């Protein structure tokens, strides 16, 4: 079946295929929903990396939706803000990045606001659609993976899992695992030759999360 396009209200654009419906909202959020909403029994939120947008993972989400027709995918876009590490240039960023060393990683202005935004997306899925927290996954790439780890382990309820792609633990001093979440499944993949976020950062993050009590 060929995809069909239509323009919805309030700058919402919709793409429909046999398996799913893709909706683009004015704030940059993309949702890929089962064409038959009654089939939804799970939700996956994917957070993009620094300087990217939800569009960077739209193809991935649509492909996964074709294989998992019961899953709704939510792809938020980070707010545009100045990033210290990039000479103060404004770009989509979940929080400010001062540097990539461990000490600089403690300064993450804006991370609490992004954390609250992701928490609200999860809460809306639970409260409005009845999706249990243990049927939701929080995933992300690079800075988005860092936000997913930081947020996912500090929720009021345990997720089905957290997926971190080339990410790390940000703002370690402000990170504490919530009660009952210590055994949350975490998949953390990282390239050994990553030139930006070094694999040592991933190893240090793993040690730090375990030191906080993750099992």
């Amino acid at each position: 079946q060929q995809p069909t396009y239509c323009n919805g209200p309030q700058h919402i654009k919709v793409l429909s295929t046999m398996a799913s419906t893709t909706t683009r909202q004015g704030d940059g959020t993309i949702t890929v929903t089962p064409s038959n909403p009654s089939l939804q029994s799970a939700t996956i939120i994917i957070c993009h990396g620094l300087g990217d947008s939800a569009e960077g993972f739209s193809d991935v989400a649509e492909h996964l939706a074709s294989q998992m027709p019961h899953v709704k995918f939510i792809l938020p876009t980070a707010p545009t803000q100045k990033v210290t590490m990039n000479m103060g240039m404004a770009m989509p960023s979940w929080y400010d990045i001062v540097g990539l060393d461990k000490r600089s990683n403690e300064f993450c202005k804006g991370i609490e606001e992004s954390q609250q935004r992701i928490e609200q997306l999860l809460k809306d899925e639970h409260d409005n659609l009845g999706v249990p927290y243990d049927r939701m996954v929080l995933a992300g790439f690079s800075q988005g993976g860092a936000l997913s780890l930081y947020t996912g382990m500090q929720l009021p309820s345990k997720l089905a899992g957290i997926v971190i792609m080339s990410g790390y633990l940000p703002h370690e001093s402000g990170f504490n695992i919530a009660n009952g979440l210590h055994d949350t499944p975490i998949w953390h993949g990282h390239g050994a030759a990553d030139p930006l976020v070094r694999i040592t950062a991933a190893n240090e993050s793993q040690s730090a999360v375990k030191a906080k009590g993750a099992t």
Side-chain angles (χ1 to χ4, degrees), residues 11-211:
H11 306 288
I12 295 176
K13 296 183 178 180
V14 180
L15 165 64
S16 295
T17 66
M18 184 179 295
S20 62
T21 298
T22 300
T23 304
R24 287 171 167 80
Q25 301 179 22
D27 66 353
T29 300
I30 297 175
T31 57
V32 182
T33 309
S35 292
N36 181 354
S38 65
L39 294 178
Q40 182 190 351
S41 63
T43 301
I44 296 176
I45 296 177
I46 305 176
C47 300
H48 63 77
L50 177 67
D52 199 1
S53 71
E55 292 292 347
F57 277 91
S58 60
D59 288 349
V60 173
E62 288 169 349
H63 172 71
L64 292 174
S66 70
Q67 306 299 310
M68 297 184 289
H70 61 287
V71 178
K72 174 182 178 181
F73 293 84
I74 303 176
L75 284 59
T77 290
T80 297
Q81 56 187 311
K82 294 180 179 179
V83 178
T84 301
M85 187 180 70
N86 286 350
M87 298 179 291
M89 292 178 58
M91 61 188 63
S93 179
W94 296 110
Y95 51 85
D96 187 26
I97 298 178
V98 176
L100 296 177
D101 60 282
K102 191 171 183 178
R103 181 175 180 180
S104 297
N105 192 36
E106 284 297 319
F107 302 95
C108 302
K109 182 181 179 182
I111 194 169
E112 288 83 8
E113 290 82 358
S114 291
Q115 177 186 11
Q116 292 170 9
R117 181 178 172 192
I118 301 304
E119 287 178 351
Q120 189 61 51
L121 289 174
L122 293 164
K123 187 175 186 298
D124 288 346
E125 288 294 295
H126 179 265
D127 293 351
N128 299 335
L129 299 177
V131 181
Y133 277 87
D134 62 5
R135 291 288 296 168
M136 292 191 276
V137 169
L138 188 51
F141 171 73
S142 195
Q143 189 193 42
L147 177 64
S148 296
L149 175 61
Y150 188 83
T151 302
M153 297 299 284
Q154 302 190 89
L155 292 168
S157 299
K158 185 167 65 177
L159 297 173
I162 300 170
V163 176
I164 310 160
M165 298 169 279
S166 299
Y168 55 92
L169 176 63
H171 191 34
E172 182 181 335
S173 63
F175 175 80
N176 293 289
I177 301 175
N179 290 334
L181 270 62
H182 295 83
D183 61 346
T184 301
I186 300 173
W187 184 91
H188 189 164
H190 208 103
D194 191 325
L196 186 59
V197 181
R198 302 288 185 178
I199 195 168
T200 52
N203 293 330
E204 290 173 354
S205 295
Q206 181 188 52
S207 297
V209 173
K210 286 184 175 180

